[in-house]
Amino acid sequence: RLANKRFAIVLTFAFQTLVLVTALLLVLGQLGFDISITAPVALLIVITVAVIMFFIAPFLPSLPFKFGDMVEIEGIQGDVEAVTPMFTHIRTFDGRTVFIPNTLIWSRKIVNYHFTPNRRVELKLNVSPDHSITDAFAVLKEIMHSDERFLDDPAPAARINSAGADGVEMVGLCWV
């Protein structure tokens, strides 16, 4: 695993640019163009791109997500479908495509679920007054321990959330 992922990306892009310029010069040479004049120009272009990528690009702002990440922006939750210079396209879970202006994204809170694959979920259970709370605790814990999607660390827990005349609301807390 690379210690500096951004440096690796910049280095890869610079190498790809070098290969592209070299291939373009070779093709032009094969087509009969005089590349002896363009070789210094191509070298200057490669050096300029390398300087920009190594010294300027790391300081340019970047969006805190990429294509395919699951994000929430302004209450809109879904997968990033595309990022264009003007808009970010979010595919919501009900199939809609939402276009959010990038100028709005820079000034709003963004939750990127891609960086945190484990989530805590709450399983709420209402227990009527004529049922045993102890039995309800046992059922809730059995549900959380029997499903392989629930993580053992941290261990699932159950507690009483509220109580009233109409019964007790229990909640199971577990990580998936």
Side-chain angles (χ1 to χ4, degrees):
R1 185 173 177 144
L2 294 171
N4 191 342
K5 187 176 178 183
R6 187 170 180 100
F7 178 74
I9 291 170
V10 169
L11 187 64
T12 302
F13 184 78
F15 179 73
Q16 289 172 342
T17 304
L18 178 65
V19 168
L20 181 65
V21 170
T22 304
L24 181 62
L25 288 174
L26 290 172
V27 167
L28 288 174
Q30 291 295 320
L31 292 174
F33 290 96
D34 182 16
I35 60 169
S36 61
I37 298 171
T38 58
V41 174
L43 183 60
L44 182 63
I45 291 171
V46 169
I47 290 171
T48 303
V49 168
V51 166
I52 289 171
M53 294 309 297
F54 280 109
F55 297 109
I56 296 173
F59 299 104
L60 294 175
S62 63
L63 293 172
F65 53 81
K66 63 183 183 331
F67 173 79
D69 286 358
M70 184 173 73
V71 297
E72 181 176 345
I73 305 167
E74 285 294 295
I76 299 167
Q77 193 175 42
D79 294 326
V80 176
E81 198 169 64
V83 179
T84 67
M86 297 291 291
F87 294 97
T88 296
H89 307 197
I90 306 291
R91 171 72 65 170
T92 62
F93 300 120
D94 61 357
R96 297 177 297 144
T97 299
V98 179
F99 299 88
I100 302 173
N102 289 338
T103 54
L104 181 73
I105 289 174
W106 286 110
S107 62
R108 298 297 190 256
K109 177 182 85 168
I110 299 168
V111 179
N112 187 336
Y113 295 101
H114 177 77
F115 295 120
T116 52
N118 298 338
R119 312 251 187 289
R120 190 189 80 172
V121 295
E122 294 181 359
L123 303 172
K124 293 185 178 178
L125 177 67
N126 290 315
V127 182
S128 64
D130 56 334
H131 287 87
S132 166
I133 294 176
T134 307
D135 291 343
F137 266 119
V139 168
L140 191 55
K141 285 185 177 184
E142 175 60 30
I143 291 170
M144 291 187 294
H145 287 289
S146 65
D147 193 322
E148 66 274 356
R149 293 174 291 184
F150 295 135
L151 301 178
D152 293 328
D153 187 28
R159 68 172 194 222
I160 294 177
N161 222 17
S162 64
D166 58 341
V168 173
E169 182 185 270
M170 299 175 63
V171 64
L173 304 172
C174 52
W175 287 82
V176 295

